[in-house]
Amino acid sequence: MATIAILIPVHNNLSYTKECLNLLSKKLKRDEVESAYRVIVIDDGSTDGTSGWIKTNHPEVHILKGDGDLVELAN
């Protein structure tokens, strides 16, 4: 069975993250995906409570924490 990784990079945009994870969760459950999947959020130093919200509301999501350096690389 294949494993599908869904990577979501975030930095201080909790409202977007909430919407994205809630919709993704509903879609994956509704379609009854047969292959295994992993949702991974790359939280690059958010200070808006993103990681805490994910842990509480989507404990199945894996969180990779950064220190904010990725935001500077993107600019």
Side-chain angles (χ1 to χ4, degrees):
M1 181 182 301
T3 300
I4 300 167
I6 301 168
L7 305 174
I8 305 169
V10 300
H11 178 78
N12 284 338
N13 200 340
L14 183 55
S15 61
Y16 166 80
T17 304
K18 286 179 179 181
E19 183 178 353
C20 182
L21 290 177
N22 288 337
L23 289 173
L24 184 60
S25 178
K26 288 177 186 176
K27 179 69 173 163
L28 291 173
K29 288 177 184 174
R30 184 175 62 232
D31 289 348
E32 298 177 0
V33 176
E34 293 183 18
S35 59
Y37 64 91
R38 297 281 185 262
V39 178
I40 303 166
V41 171
I42 301 110
D43 182 4
D44 191 35
S46 294
T47 58
D48 62 354
T50 295
S51 289
W53 183 87
I54 294 170
K55 288 177 186 176
T56 299
N57 296 281
H58 291 280
E60 74 282 1
V61 172
H62 302 274
I63 302 170
L64 297 178
K65 296 192 86 164
D67 60 7
D69 284 345
L70 295 177
V71 171
E72 301 215 4
L73 292 174
N75 292 328

